[in-house]
Amino acid sequence: MIQIYHIILMNKYIIIFISTLFIAQLWADKTDDSSRSSSTIDILYETVDLIGGFQFVLDGVTLLSASGGAAGAAGFVVSTGGSMVLGFSFTGGTIPAGSGVLIQLEVEGNPDDACVLDDQNLVFSDPVGNGIDMEVVECLSI
């Protein structure tokens, strides 16, 4: 009889333990995902040259993805890693001279804190790989 009582008591504690784990996991899932919000920001460009490729670093936010803009319209492959954005075409496509939205970035954090760094990682090239002189103006315009 005592053994049956111990088994029932043990099962009760196992059920309480499993229930506690389940509730803790639900709470963790809600707080991890719901506290994060993403925003889309536009990186603008202006140039008199055709763009064959680009690379830059974004500071102040967490970079999640990149797509669209003139790079998307030109068929560029755009890759992100860490805070770096890299765009080029496997088929020789180019972004036309002019101005507009170069790329749209999905970021996590305050989009007002986002800024393209004007340093050695800011690289633009023409269709044959020659460098194009570019500079960052007001953080999100190149």
Side-chain angles (χ1 to χ4, degrees):
M1 190 72 158
I2 294 176
Q3 287 178 340
I4 293 174
Y5 175 75
H6 285 293
I7 290 173
I8 291 171
L9 189 59
M10 189 183 274
N11 284 342
K12 179 180 172 184
Y13 287 123
I14 289 173
I15 290 171
I16 291 171
F17 179 72
I18 291 172
S19 298
T20 304
L21 286 177
F22 179 72
I23 291 169
Q25 183 61 44
L26 285 175
W27 180 80
D29 288 345
K30 283 188 170 262
T31 57
D32 285 349
D33 292 336
S34 65
S35 64
R36 296 180 184 170
S37 64
S38 65
S39 303
T40 301
I41 58 175
D42 293 339
I43 303 299
L44 307 176
Y45 77 101
E46 184 174 347
T47 181
V48 296
D49 298 306
L50 293 173
I51 299 173
F54 61 87
Q55 170 185 305
F56 60 87
V57 171
L58 187 68
D59 191 35
V61 292
T62 301
L63 181 60
L64 300 176
S65 65
S67 63
F76 272 37
V77 174
V78 179
S79 176
T80 61
S83 58
M84 185 169 288
V85 178
L86 175 68
F88 63 93
S89 173
F90 282 116
T91 62
T94 59
I95 296 172
S99 62
V101 175
L102 175 66
I103 191 85
Q104 292 181 313
L105 304 178
E106 183 182 3
V107 299
E108 186 177 89
N110 185 349
D112 294 334
D113 294 338
C115 194
V116 174
L117 296 181
D118 196 359
D119 62 8
Q120 72 275 6
N121 292 308
L122 180 65
V123 179
F124 278 72
S125 62
D126 67 14
V128 294
N130 296 317
I132 301 172
D133 288 331
M134 302 288 275
E135 67 180 58
V136 177
V137 180
E138 296 181 18
C139 279
L140 299 180
S141 295
I142 302 173

